[in-house]
Every structure is written in structure tokens, then in C-alpha cells.
Amino acid sequence: MKIWKGTAASGGAAWGYATHLRGDPEGAIPVRRTVTDPEMEIARFWEAHGKALAELESLYRLAREDMGEEESSIFLTHKAMLADEELQNDVVQRIREKKINAEYAVYEAAQVYQTLFASIEDDYLRQRAADLQDVSQRLCRKLENSSEQALHKRKDAIIIAQDLLPSQTIQLNKENVNAFLTQAGSPNSHAAILARTREIPAIVAMGYEIASIPEGTPLIVDGDTGTVYANPDRDILAWFYKKTEQADEQRALLSQALATENRTLDGRKVEVKANIGTLQDLEEALANGCDGVGLTRSEFLYMHSTQWPDEEQQFTYYRSILSTMKGRRVIIRTCDLGMDKKVDYLKGAQEENPALGFRGIRVSLAYPDTFLTQLRALLRASAYGSLSIMFPMIVSPEEVDRVLELAREAAEQLRAEGIAMGDDVQYGVMIETPAAAVLSDILAKKVDFFSIGTNDLVQYTLCADRVNPEVAQLYDPCHPAVLRLIEHVIENIHREGKVCGICGDAATIPEFAVRAIKMGIDSLSVPPRKIPKLRHLVQNTDSNKGEYYGKSGNPQPNRPHTLKADCNMG
Ligand code: PEP
Ligand code: MG
């Protein structure tokens, strides 16, 4: 038996046979040719460019159906790279000035940008070099009229490659490919992200030695520790069978949880809801047994527009969500632009601290007409289901008074116009700033419901930027300061007889969720994919004791304060 180690990129265990991927991405350097008619060559480039764009569009649609909006957006990134005018002009100029073939001009131009990306310190951005390589190779294939390499001919393949391009990962046939190993790459690459989404175990950065594994060698891959065993011995085989047995049991438990009501062991109802960004997320949310939608990030609609979306466009979108949910309660958050969610048409001053700047409800209140448009669209859609409207980034009771006044104005306008509205629209506030948490007793008198946005509440409480990897270890939802604030909020809200949920990502962390349940939280809202595990957790938690009974029936240790790395649900 021989053992190789690399960086774990996608968890799980797999067995299969070493299957080398020939013609690895790095090897594909096109031949340089001199052309006599550069303008003809430029026309050839544009034709290939159009074909590549169309191919990316259909790959995007395919991936969106398969994996949802978030993961498929990689193809939108590729489209944007392909549509980049600077890159296009660079290619055209090289063909014209150097009189070279389009393939080589594409390769040269892409190399410049790839080198630029590759020199960036931030690992995530550095990995975008692989995306550009993917795009330029697609263009070259279109120029050569060749198609993508078949990646998965052998059954039970463990793919071994120099590196995998994101589009190759998305097209890996899960039926045939059991895992993949790459010599290079990073766990932050899109290929690794996609592998996790598709639940294909993967190990990256294994070094060039893996190229010497003979084709067809039996392998066992441990994607959790980044270990590969070639010609595994009895002990490793026994370990592997136990591990897959456990995974099967886990799957069975989750489907059982789907058929059971979300009550804790001591009988308390805790709803498990879905956070959605697009209509595609709804299907997964329903399939996974959501008790409703706990957060609709309406700003995504704004981010996909080139101007403020009009009332009709918004109404159609909100109505689709409400009718798809067939009476289940849907919380739609009003537009939460700003910070990392920017739109070109909202041009403000350059901000030194965007997280503390012009975002959320501040933007809505600065543009009351636009806000009224959204409120009118929401209220019109309320006739088609159970709508709750939620306001983000609140810091004061006055802001709540103002937004409710505008909501009343929108309702009065519609009534005067004879337009139908639902009669049970509820209003709520997000608790995502320490100010809102501290003042929650006052806010609790003003609206019907609350949802704690831990993504922001944690960053503002601990002064740890949620998007800065340098301070990621400080960003801890289980920090006592955060937990105390949340306890205070839930108490204040319950005292007024109102309900309080959590819709930040912390709800996916088992230790955090168990604590929130003990504190009396009424609902937890998570990305659709995380719903089954959370249902299982709710149904196996004793809310009085604050203990989660794992599958063995024994309480899981509930440590007083853990780093998020310990308790992420994965
Ligand atoms: C939050 O802050 O927890 C939240 C759900 O909002 P967003 O992540 O969209 O800022
Ligand atoms: Mg937030």
C-alpha cells in the first residue's frame, strides 16, 4: 500500500481506479502561425467568440438546473470575462499588429491577465486565473472547431489531473467519477467549490508525484483528511466500508427527518425555513421540507438589473415566490444593497468603511420613491400568498416608524386604485446591528416579528469584518458576547408576545443552533441544502437541557465556547 497526502477540498470517502486525465489544462498551448490576412483572422475570432458565449449560456442553464443559482454563477463569471472589452481589444490588436493566428493571440492575451491574477496574494482572487484559462481554452476550442475532452469514460474513476478547470468539474459525470485528485489547485478554486456542491470527494495540491500512479490502480480517497491510499490494505478497506455505511445511515436519518414534524424532543415547535436568493432556490427548499421562507434577499433582483427594477417586474417576481410556496409564510426582505452588494446605477461617494456606510434601509430611505415602488409591488403580490415584509439594517425606532409610514402610504395608494392586497401582511425587523439588539424591547412594540441576522450581527459585535479572511478567526458566532445579545433579544421579543427567528448562516452551525433552541428561538432559516440536517437537529434536541442527541442517542458535547471551525455543519 502507498499513501499520498494533499489538501482536502471536498469531503467524503470514495474508492475507484486511477484514471489519468490526458491533455491537462496547462499543456494546451496553441501553435503560433503567421497569417496573411489579419482581418479574416479577426472575423474568425469574432465567430468563435459568439459560439463560446452561446456555449457558456447553455452550460449556465444546465448547471443552474442541476445545482442552483449560486454554483452555476461561475458560468456568468466566465461570460463576463469573455465579454471583457479590454481582453477582446487586446486579442484583436495582437492579430492585427503581429499578424498571428487568433488561437495564439487569445493565448497570449489571456496569459497577461492570468499572470496578473496569479501574482495576487489573496488565494480566492488568485484562483480566478484558472477561470480565465478555462475561458481562453474554450475560445481556442471554438477556433479549432474541437469539442471538450470526455472526462469520464471509465466507470468508478478516480480522476487524476494536473488541475481541473471549473467547467470540467461541472461536467464530471457523477455516475462514473467517484473522486478527483489534482497535482495543483486550491480548496478555494471554483473546481473545489463545485466538487463540494456536487458531493464529489476531492483532494488538491497533491504534487506532481501523483502523475506516476499507474493507470487503473485501485485507490481509496479520504476527502476529509486529504489522504489517498493506493492498493489499500485490509485495515483501510475495513475503515472505508465503515465510513460509507455511516454515510448511508446518515442519508436514511435525513430522509426520516423530512417526514417528521419539526418539534424538539420535549415537544417545542421550531420551524425550519429557507433562505432564498432566486426562484430556483425555491424548488430545493420545498423538496427539502422547508416550513416557509425565512429570508428572501430581494436585492438579488436589483443586482441582476441595469437600473432600478420597476413595479411590474418586482410584482411578477414576488408573486411567483408566493404562489410557489402555496400558502406557506414567505418573508421578503426589502432591498439590502450596499457593502459587498453593489449596483452600477447606485453611484455614491467612495466609502472608506462600506460595512458602516450607505447600505440596507439607509439606501431605501434615501430613495423613498424607489422604496415605495418596492412596497407597492410587495403589497400587490401579497394577494397571492402569506407575505411578511422585513426591513434590514435597522438601528433606531425612528427608522422603523418611517418605514411603516411608507408602507401605509403604499397600501393607501393601492386601496385608492382598487388593487387587491392580502389581509394578513406582517411587518418585521432584522436584528443585525448591536443597536437594534440593545433596543429590541422598544422595537418589539412596533412590528409583528423579528429575524436575527447573525452574519452582520457577529461582524458588528466583534468588530470583525465578515469578508476579511485576516480576521476570520475572530468572527465567531458562538462568542459569549454574541450569545448574550441574542438571548437578550429573544427575551425582549417574547415578552411582547412576538416571534423571533434567526436567518444568518450561524443557524447552520449545530452548536449554535442548539443554543438558540435552548434560548427559545421560534424558527431557524438556512440555505435550502442545509434544511435536512437542521430538521434532524431540531427533532433530536432537548430544548430544556440544550442538548442535541446524535444518532447514537447520546447527548453531543455542548462546549461553552468554540471556534466556528469546530462546529460548522458543512
Ligand atoms: C445577516 O446579516 O445575517 C443576513 C441574513 O443578511 P445578509 O447576509 O444578506 O447581510
Ligand atoms: Mg445582513
Side-chain angles (χ1 to χ4, degrees):
M1 183 172 79
K2 194 158 173 28
I3 301 175
W4 280 273
K5 277 275 198 189
T7 307
S10 174
W15 75 279
Y17 302 102
T19 307
H20 289 272
L21 186 64
R22 305 294 167 203
D24 291 342
E26 253 192 15
I29 301 175
V31 180
R32 188 186 205 274
R33 284 187 291 108
T34 307
V35 294
T36 46
D37 187 348
E39 292 313 314
M40 275 286 287
E41 198 61 12
I42 290 169
R44 204 165 73 82
F45 163 69
W46 285 121
E47 190 187 350
H49 186 271
K51 285 185 191 163
L53 264 182
E55 187 170 75
L56 280 171
E57 177 61 31
S58 69
L59 276 172
Y60 165 66
R61 286 175 194 280
L62 210 91
R64 199 174 59 182
E65 272 169 32
D66 198 16
M67 295 181 297
E69 189 70 31
E70 206 173 315
E71 275 71 25
S72 54
S73 66
I74 177 197
F75 291 110
L76 293 181
T77 311
H78 284 199
K79 273 180 74 179
M81 282 179 168
L82 198 58
D84 183 73
E85 279 186 20
E86 219 172 305
L87 182 69
Q88 294 167 1
N89 293 341
D90 196 350
V91 174
V92 169
Q93 206 175 338
R94 278 168 201 274
I95 300 176
R96 197 166 278 143
E97 286 174 6
K98 295 182 163 184
K99 298 194 174 24
I100 52 173
N101 55 324
E103 290 88 335
Y104 202 77
V106 167
Y107 166 73
E108 265 194 359
Q111 277 295 103
V112 176
Y113 293 93
Q114 269 171 248
T115 317
L116 214 88
F117 275 127
S119 65
I120 297 174
E121 251 182 51
D122 180 282
D123 186 51
Y124 180 82
L125 287 177
R126 201 167 51 240
Q127 290 306 315
R128 302 293 69 80
D131 288 310
L132 192 58
Q133 187 183 25
D134 202 336
V135 169
S136 77
Q137 288 194 5
R138 183 173 306 284
L139 253 175
C140 286
R141 278 197 302 275
K142 291 295 136 211
L143 281 161
E144 288 157 1
N145 267 332
S146 65
S147 55
E148 236 153 326
Q149 192 188 9
L151 297 175
H152 36 71
K153 285 186 207 129
R154 181 200 276 271
K155 196 126 181 67
D156 294 319
I158 306 279
I159 298 283
I160 301 176
Q162 199 281 328
D163 202 352
L164 269 183
L165 296 173
S167 63
Q168 288 176 310
T169 315
I170 222 159
Q171 290 169 85
L172 286 177
N173 181 347
K174 256 189 95 172
E175 305 264 295
N176 291 354
V177 174
N178 294 354
F180 74 75
L181 317 172
T182 60
Q183 293 176 29
S186 135
N188 286 328
S189 68
H190 264 133
I193 295 168
L194 290 169
R196 289 194 285 275
T197 308
R198 306 197 66 202
E199 295 179 348
I200 299 177
I203 307 176
V204 297
M206 297 205 68
Y208 63 90
E209 292 93 353
I210 57 166
S212 66
I213 300 177
E215 182 82 12
T217 307
L219 301 175
I220 293 243
V221 174
D222 181 358
D224 296 316
T225 61
T227 318
V228 177
Y229 305 90
N231 298 310
D233 63 20
R234 272 167 180 269
D235 286 350
I236 293 298
L237 283 173
W239 164 87
F240 173 73
Y241 289 131
K242 184 142 189 270
K243 181 135 178 159
T244 41
E245 228 173 71
Q246 282 167 351
D248 289 347
E249 274 175 30
Q250 169 86 348
R251 263 189 286 277
L253 273 178
L254 294 184
S255 59
Q256 190 188 328
L258 201 63
T260 316
E261 204 194 351
N262 285 322
R263 282 191 187 277
T264 58
L265 289 172
D266 49 319
R268 213 162 59 69
K269 179 99 187 107
V270 179
E271 289 188 315
V272 177
K273 299 184 178 182
N275 291 350
I276 66 153
T278 65
L279 293 177
Q280 282 75 32
D281 296 335
L282 281 178
E283 275 167 43
E284 195 177 359
L286 285 169
N288 285 342
C290 71
D291 291 321
V293 173
L295 170 67
T296 307
R297 289 183 163 97
S298 73
E299 58 277 6
F300 286 174
L301 179 69
Y302 289 64
M303 289 161 76
H304 291 148
S305 292
T306 49
Q307 56 192 7
W308 295 111
D310 65 25
E311 185 178 316
E312 245 5 81
Q313 199 181 344
Q314 294 194 54
F315 163 66
T316 313
Y317 178 65
Y318 305 143
R319 184 184 56 187
S320 303
I321 299 175
L322 285 158
S323 21
T324 310
M325 290 311 285
K326 298 196 170 57
R328 291 178 184 81
R329 191 151 280 277
V330 172
I331 301 180
I332 301 185
R333 176 174 75 182
T334 60
C335 185
D336 183 26
L337 287 175
M339 203 180 111
D340 54 342
K341 291 181 280 194
K342 300 249 190 275
V343 290
D344 285 343
Y345 51 88
L346 178 62
K347 288 206 173 61
Q350 184 68 25
E351 293 182 296
E352 287 284 332
N353 292 304
L356 305 180
F358 194 49
R359 60 170 301 202
I361 206 67
R362 300 167 187 188
V363 176
S364 299
L365 290 178
Y367 292 89
D369 288 346
T370 319
F371 191 36
L372 266 176
T373 304
Q374 177 166 38
L375 291 168
R376 280 178 57 101
L378 283 165
L379 289 171
R380 280 175 61 193
S382 70
Y384 297 84
S386 268
L387 176 67
S388 297
I389 301 176
M390 180 160 77
F391 305 107
M393 277 297 291
I394 294 290
V395 295
S396 72
E398 291 73 27
E399 279 171 341
V400 180
D401 292 341
R402 179 68 184 132
V403 293
L404 291 177
E405 195 179 296
L406 286 165
R408 264 192 305 275
E409 191 179 326
E412 271 159 28
Q413 285 178 4
L414 293 173
R415 222 168 280 123
E417 292 164 30
I419 296 176
M421 287 175 277
D423 51 14
D424 66 343
V425 178
Q426 298 195 344
Y427 291 96
V429 157
M430 281 198 80
I431 303 284
E432 50 187 346
T433 65
V438 171
L439 298 182
S440 50
D441 56 332
I442 302 172
L443 301 179
K445 297 189 186 356
K446 293 187 178 284
V447 287
D448 307 305
F449 72 94
F450 291 83
S451 188
I452 302 175
T454 50
N455 301 344
D456 278 313
L457 187 62
V458 172
Q459 80 162 345
Y460 294 131
T461 305
L462 301 178
C463 301
D465 185 346
R466 63 192 263 190
V467 295
N468 181 350
E470 294 285 338
V471 293
Q473 76 287 359
L474 294 173
Y475 185 95
D476 179 7
C478 298
H479 190 288
V482 176
L483 295 176
R484 277 197 195 184
L485 263 187
I486 292 177
E487 193 160 28
H488 170 77
V489 167
I490 298 174
E491 271 172 26
N492 279 340
I493 289 165
H494 282 173
R495 199 171 305 119
E496 286 301 320
K498 310 284 171 70
V499 290
C500 181
I502 291 178
C503 63
D505 281 5
T508 65
I509 302 173
E511 286 212 351
F512 177 90
V514 171
R515 284 164 188 276
I517 292 171
K518 183 161 193 253
M519 290 176 199
I521 203 76
D522 299 294
S523 67
L524 296 164
S525 191
V526 293
R529 193 162 308 131
K530 310 275 181 168
I531 290 172
K533 279 189 184 168
L534 189 54
R535 289 183 69 105
H536 180 262
L537 180 136
V538 167
Q539 294 166 21
N540 290 281
T541 292
D542 183 318
S543 76
N544 280 316
K545 293 187 188 149
E547 269 170 1
Y548 165 45
Y549 290 75
K551 125 178 121 63
S552 61
N554 296 323
Q556 302 286 308
N558 203 353
R559 284 161 286 169
H561 174 217
T562 55
L563 289 176
K564 70 188 157 94
D566 288 347
C567 49
N568 209 323
M569 201 182 253

